[in-house]
Amino acid sequence: NRPNPNTKHLLTRYRYGGTLDGKKTKLFRLWTAIRERIYNKNSRAYKYYGGKGLTLDPRWESYLTFKNDVEVRGYKEGCSIIRKDKALGYSPDNIRVIEGKVTGSMYAYKGNHFTINQLLTFSSNGISREGLCKRLDKGMQVELALSKPLMRRSK
């Protein structure tokens, strides 16, 4: 009865983000992706993160500390993490946990962050997705873009 040589390896992977079936958790993959963007100069995203001087909080060099910090802020499987201030790096004070998957830009509205499609549900003027994108790209504030009456062209 020799002990299985892989047991220690599996337990280590489980403790640091993997599961016993060998797959990494979403949160562990997120942590490694953040580190990749900040530190790896060969990463495609480096120029937008580490290349612009964004940093990772030194406490978050440890996955377990990162995991504890985001779980205290309400992270659970199926949530996403965004930075509150895009000019600052990743730190406990600069992140927000939101429900669902984040794709594309997030916009602050009524104290929360929303995607374009989520913002459309707040519209009082019947604006289209394309129209809202144009207004926001021009720098219009979210509240105004959602409430300003549409200009109809005369035929």
Side-chain angles (χ1 to χ4, degrees):
N1 280 346
R2 279 183 39 195
N4 184 344
N6 294 324
T7 305
K8 183 178 178 185
H9 171 70
L10 286 174
L11 292 176
T12 302
R13 286 192 66 194
Y14 180 73
R15 280 183 49 208
Y16 293 104
T19 61
L20 288 176
D21 64 1
K23 295 181 181 178
K24 304 234 186 273
T25 63
K26 179 182 175 190
L27 188 59
F28 185 80
R29 290 191 314 266
L30 173 65
W31 177 71
T32 57
I34 290 170
R35 292 172 46 87
E36 178 90 3
R37 292 189 290 248
I38 298 287
Y39 298 125
N40 186 355
K41 293 181 181 180
N42 296 323
S43 168
R44 289 188 298 164
Y46 177 81
K47 62 184 172 184
Y48 304 111
Y49 294 87
K52 287 189 175 183
L54 297 182
T55 59
L56 180 67
D57 188 291
R59 293 182 60 232
W60 285 3
E61 291 299 325
S62 161
Y63 169 69
L64 295 177
T65 306
F66 170 78
K67 181 178 183 282
N68 290 335
D69 284 351
V70 296
E71 284 177 347
V72 164
R73 285 162 178 75
Y75 181 87
K76 58 185 179 292
E77 209 53 45
C79 289
S80 297
I81 296 171
I82 61 170
R83 288 177 293 133
K84 294 176 187 174
D85 185 346
K86 301 296 183 195
L88 300 176
Y90 291 92
S91 67
D93 297 333
N94 193 39
I95 62 153
R96 174 174 284 159
V97 175
I98 60 171
E99 299 243 355
K101 184 178 180 180
V102 176
T103 56
S105 297
M106 300 292 288
Y107 298 90
Y109 180 66
K110 293 186 177 182
N112 288 308
H113 287 80
F114 299 98
T115 62
I116 293 286
N117 288 338
Q118 291 169 328
L119 285 175
L120 285 171
T121 62
F122 298 108
S123 172
S124 62
N125 59 10
I127 194 167
S128 67
R129 186 181 198 290
E130 181 182 352
L132 181 59
C133 287
K134 284 181 181 179
R135 286 182 172 188
L136 295 173
D137 288 345
K138 289 180 181 177
M140 188 180 284
Q141 292 182 351
V142 175
E143 291 81 5
L144 185 59
L146 291 171
S147 62
K148 184 177 178 182
L150 301 174
M151 302 277 294
R152 302 286 181 196
R153 294 185 182 163
S154 58
K155 294 182 180 182

